[in-house]
Amino acid sequence: MALKLVTTAASLRIESARLLKAKQGSSQGLVPTMGALHEGHAQLARTAVEQNDVVVVSIFVNPLQFGEASDLERYPRTLDADLELLAAEGVDLVFAPDIEEVYPNGEPMVRITSGKLAEKWEGASRPGHFDGALTVVAKLLHFGIPGACGNNGTPAPYRAYFGQKDAQQLTLVKRMVADLNFPVEIVPVPTVRAGDGLALSSRNRFLSEEEREAALVLSRALRLVEERANAHQPLDLDSAVALVESQPLVKLDYFEVVDPGTLEPLAENCRETPFRGEGLAIIAARVGPVRLIDNVPLNS
């Protein structure tokens, strides 16, 4: 079936029910995005299509998660190209509401509060960002609830897909869904990288050629820590930090190894003791005018 674009929650629910019935399907997947799609988003859509009978991708640039109006205005809008990419991946529905559909009464008086998990890292650097992000994700998860039940009368399985590159956001979404009993399974999808190792991001388009080359130091530093973890060596974060700081176009914000579930720094910090168990190496830096984040899971 051809990709269909809908712009209201009501039409999304109607089309979802129609497609589930037409496909004799019993599962639905949602991929929330802000558009300006790239191969990382394509992988999210691809995974959702493989695992569900009906797949919805939302495209909405959420004003609540931007600290400055200029950043909101600068965020790229590429709907035609986005639709082409999603059609090629076999997505069924694109939900692209306007701001009045999502926030009919203006900025919501009640929002999701991201709590302690958002006080560090990206939350410290971007105050209020995660409250805005979780608020819109909560609304999108409700909008995307399947419009029909499974063939046996039970609720249709419902899954939502998020990239692991935004590690803190993923952790917060999973916690929100668990704590507030959302009827959806959150499916993490591994980070997609360019051939040179740079994590794909809609922000990469704002990097000059020189800045993009400089940005590769982030993935190199993460890879260095990953290799040490795999070899059960001390992670020696100081030397990895020094590697990043040796690049003059890169201004490091943070580089740490944290617990994947709590985002707290690992107690022993693994700087001088051999690494065992699980962790998450996270990094954020400004490269020229662009803020970039990346991470790598550590397992040994």
Side-chain angles (χ1 to χ4, degrees):
M1 296 184 182
L3 177 71
K4 186 174 181 64
L5 174 67
V6 296
T7 59
T8 68
S11 59
L12 173 60
R13 183 60 60 89
I14 291 169
E15 290 300 322
S16 163
R18 181 184 66 80
L19 285 170
L20 283 166
K21 182 177 180 180
K23 291 187 173 188
Q24 297 184 334
S26 61
S27 63
Q28 183 160 300
L30 171 69
V31 182
T33 82
M34 292 205 300
L37 305 184
H38 49 65
E39 177 56 29
H41 297 103
Q43 183 59 49
L44 290 170
R46 201 172 299 134
T47 304
V49 168
E50 291 171 355
Q51 297 180 1
N52 298 278
D53 300 302
V54 173
V55 172
V56 179
V57 174
S58 65
I59 297 177
F60 177 68
V61 181
N62 177 37
L64 298 190
Q65 64 194 76
F66 287 84
E68 298 181 9
S70 59
D71 289 339
L72 174 61
E73 291 301 318
R74 189 172 72 146
Y75 194 88
R77 276 80 165 173
T78 58
L79 182 59
D80 289 343
D82 294 346
L83 295 176
E84 184 176 346
L85 179 150
L86 296 172
E89 296 300 336
V91 169
D92 300 289
L93 292 170
V94 171
F95 177 48
D98 60 24
I99 192 168
E100 289 77 17
E101 179 69 17
V102 178
Y103 302 119
N105 299 309
E107 288 197 12
M109 296 179 68
V110 176
R111 305 188 188 194
I112 297 291
T113 300
S114 48
K116 291 184 178 180
L117 278 173
E119 291 176 356
K120 295 185 177 184
W121 319 126
E122 288 304 288
S125 299
R126 304 171 68 185
H129 167 74
F130 286 120
D131 288 357
L134 289 185
T135 297
V136 79
V137 168
K139 292 178 75 72
L140 292 170
L141 291 176
H142 285 307
F143 289 149
I145 291 174
C149 291
N151 294 329
N152 60 1
T154 60
Y158 176 35
R159 307 177 183 96
Y161 296 78
F162 292 83
Q164 290 181 342
K165 186 183 80 68
D166 296 307
Q168 190 169 8
Q169 175 179 277
L170 174 60
T171 299
L172 284 160
V173 169
K174 290 167 70 176
R175 194 69 261 167
M176 177 184 73
V177 164
D179 288 349
L180 301 183
N181 301 102
F182 279 58
V184 61
E185 175 190 355
I186 301 302
V187 181
V189 177
T191 301
V192 177
R193 300 182 181 277
D196 55 14
L198 185 66
L200 297 189
S201 169
S202 301
R203 296 175 180 268
N204 291 352
R205 69 185 66 201
F206 297 121
L207 296 169
S208 69
E209 185 175 343
E210 183 181 16
E211 290 163 349
R212 193 188 186 290
E213 181 66 25
L216 296 179
V217 75
L218 275 66
S219 58
R220 287 202 298 268
L222 287 171
R223 190 163 58 248
L224 179 63
V225 172
E226 182 183 28
E227 290 170 353
R228 291 170 179 166
N230 290 340
H232 307 296
Q233 299 174 348
L235 299 186
D236 189 13
L237 283 181
D238 290 342
S239 66
V241 168
L243 173 63
V244 177
E245 292 179 338
S246 70
Q247 173 50 255
L249 294 181
V250 176
K251 184 178 180 181
L252 184 65
D253 183 352
Y254 59 78
F255 190 177
E256 191 56 88
V257 175
V258 300
D259 181 284
T262 66
L263 303 179
E264 291 293 327
L266 293 181
E268 74 282 3
N269 219 11
C270 309
R271 294 178 185 271
E272 299 178 359
T273 58
F275 178 81
R276 303 287 181 186
E278 295 185 359
L280 182 70
I282 57 175
I283 190 170
R286 186 165 290 277
V287 184
V290 181
R291 180 180 174 81
L292 297 178
I293 61 173
D294 200 352
N295 69 85
V296 63
L298 306 177
N299 300 282
S300 67

